[in-house]
Structure formats: structure tokens, C-alpha cells
Amino acid sequence: MMKTHKPMYHYSPYLRRCLAMAAAGLLAGCHPGSRNDASSSGQHERDEKVQTAYYKYLQGNLGGKKVTLQLTKSDGQYDGIFYEDSLARPVTISGSTDTAGHITLVTYRQYDPVDTLQGTFSQPGVFSGYCKPAEQEGKGSQAAPAAFALQEIYSEGTRRWQVYRLQDSLSLKPGDSSSPKARIAYTLLWPGKGWPDAGHLLVQQTLAGDLLGLHTPVTAGAQALRNAADSFLTTYKQARANLSPGFAAGTFNWESQIRMELLWNAGDIVSLACNRYEYTGGAHGQTNTLLVVWDLKHARILERGDLFRPGYEKKLQQVLEQKLRRAYDIPEKAALNSRRYGILFDKHLNLTDNFYLTGHGIGFIYNPYEVAPYAVGPIELFVPFSELQDVLKNPGGVPAT
């Protein structure tokens, strides 16, 4: 089924449920508001810092292997997604620049460091240097550093992006340096130059409406970011105005973090992750990752049913359950919700609409409380297309229509 863009915001089923949870207070932060609402608090109460950052799509070779690096930079800090074709799934990468201008980037998988890239932009758009593999326990010798050379190239079907970052805060007791505060730290990705009009509009609508929770159309990334920040801080102001005697000050150290990252950006397919953390009082904050996949060639948001043939559900569930068992060391015959080995609420792993696509496979992220207790944390499972050939509409994962 093809989903074309509409004049107003389109909400995918998964995002619609998440926004409904937000309205119920389980995921805070999607509060309606306006710039005027928050700014009426007085700028002296707030510590605002807005930045722009760059996005680079780099391709090349590392030790004879084809790799892709999507990199953002702000204030000397780097973040991004790293791909090695032979590994199929994306890994996160982050790092910084030293005083001599050398860049050190570390790739991570499941929070463990994997490789370290050290190099420089030897010329505009060319990042080169050496990659040092992570040390492994029990290994007498390590592989020698491998040379890499990555060039900024935007092939047909790869999009340019703008990056906006904002930090802001609002004191519970203005003028008191020890006062509890509401703090925000947002990183927003926004369509850059050279986009087709239909795809540009669809992505703007999804980012502002589905992911930032704004209720009115916004066409500028910086304004979307400010409106989202003002909505959260306006809610804090309202809570501040209704304080009861003897309130617990610690519960008013509110926090809201949003960080967007691109998991795939090629072949007119864009997979984006919106990582959120929010604390608005209570035992702990809420962490969630919302995923969206755009087919920009046809100006639509992809859903599971667009990728698979009818009757795929049982096969996909079996594959995901096997991935889950391997990831969490659950014996083959043990129930997934058993007391000794299990981690889930139910005996079987329900399918989720929260997925991303790459050129090699499909990844699923289950957020805390979705299928397992909060202590389990997010569950991420990745399935190469090669393991789903009998249920995919197209061997390459993306439907041809």
C-alpha cells in the first residue's frame, strides 16, 4: 500500500500510539505551545544557546572494505552512524577534535567500543587516517591499523541535511543559583538543499508533527526546534505556578533530550531515529526511540505491510524470537517470559511497527515497557534481508512500486 503525503500531518500507527501515550503522561514533552507562551517568562530566567552543525555523508574504503560514515559536528564534538558493508547493520560513532586538529572517532556496538578512527580532513570533503581495532580479551596480538580515505559524496538518491542544536533551561526560582531547573538539549535534522518538493514537505511534516509534537505547520528547522523547546518550558512554567507547600524540590529538576540521527540515507530511502529522554517527576525518566522510514521517490512513509507479502507475520516473529534468544542468552526451549531465563511480559515477541531499513536489512526497536520491563531497557534486533527472502515483496527490501 502506498502512502502519499497530505497537506496536514500524517501519523503512522506506531507514532500515533506513542503520541497518545504522551498525552496520558507516559511520554512527556509533546505539549502544545507557542514561542510567545515561553518567552513571556522573561529571557533573564533562561539560558538559551542555539547552534547550527554540519552533516556530511562520507564514502570510501577502510582496509579494502567499503564503508559509509554519516557525520554531524557541533562545537568540536562529532556524532554519527558508521556502516561497513560486510557487517550489514549500522553502528554509532562519536568523538572529538584535539588541539592539533586531529579527529578521534570511536565506533560502538551495544555500548562497547569496537574500532577507533583517527584522522583529519586533509582537504575539503576528504577524511583520511587510520583505523585501530579495539583490543580483545584473550587475544595475544591485535590487527594492525588499517588506512582509510572517505570522501563527501552525495550520489543520486542521497539527501543533504541541515542540523540544528539547542540548549535551554528555566529556573524554578528565578535569581536563585541553587534552584531546580528544567533543562533541554535538542538535536534536530531538517531537509537541506536539493530535495524534491513532495519529499521535502512530507519530511518536514513528519519531523514537526509526528516527532516534535507540534500542532501547527512549520517550514523552518530552527523555528521548529524553538517551538518544541518552548512547549516543554511552558509546561514547566505552568507546574511552577501551581506549586503546593512542602513540594519535593528534586522532582522539579525536569529534563528533556531529543537527538535525531540518520540510520540510512541512500537510494531515495531515509531511515531516521528520534531518541528521546524526559523526566518530569517520579521514580525515573522515560527513554524512547521512534523510527520513521521515508520512501522519497514516492513521497510516502513505509509501513511493515509495504515490505512483506501477505501472511509474513509468523515467519518474521520466528526470526525475531531467534535473534532475541541469541542476544539475551535464552535457551531454545525456555519460554521468553520464564522466571529463570525470560525477559518478556508474554510467551512470544509481538511484532512492532517501530522499524528502520538499511540497504542490507531491517531493524526493529522495542522501547521500555513495550514488551518487557523497564529494567530490560530498549531491545534492538536486526535481520538481514537474506533471512527473509521468502516473505519479502522485493529481495532488496524496498517494494518496487
Side-chain angles (χ1 to χ4, degrees), residues 255-276:
E255 191 170 355
S256 178
Q257 299 175 13
I258 298 175
R259 180 174 58 85
M260 296 185 183
E261 58 186 359
L262 293 172
L263 302 178
W264 188 254
N265 177 20
D268 292 312
I269 298 296
V270 172
S271 293
L272 179 140
C274 179
N275 306 290
R276 305 180 66 113

Side-chain angles (χ1 to χ4, degrees), residues 35 38 41 43-48 168-170 230 233:
R35 181 70 183 168
S41 63
Q43 286 298 320
H44 65 281
E45 296 183 28
R46 295 170 55 180
D47 178 21
E48 182 181 88
D168 202 352
S169 64
L170 182 64
D230 289 344
L233 296 178

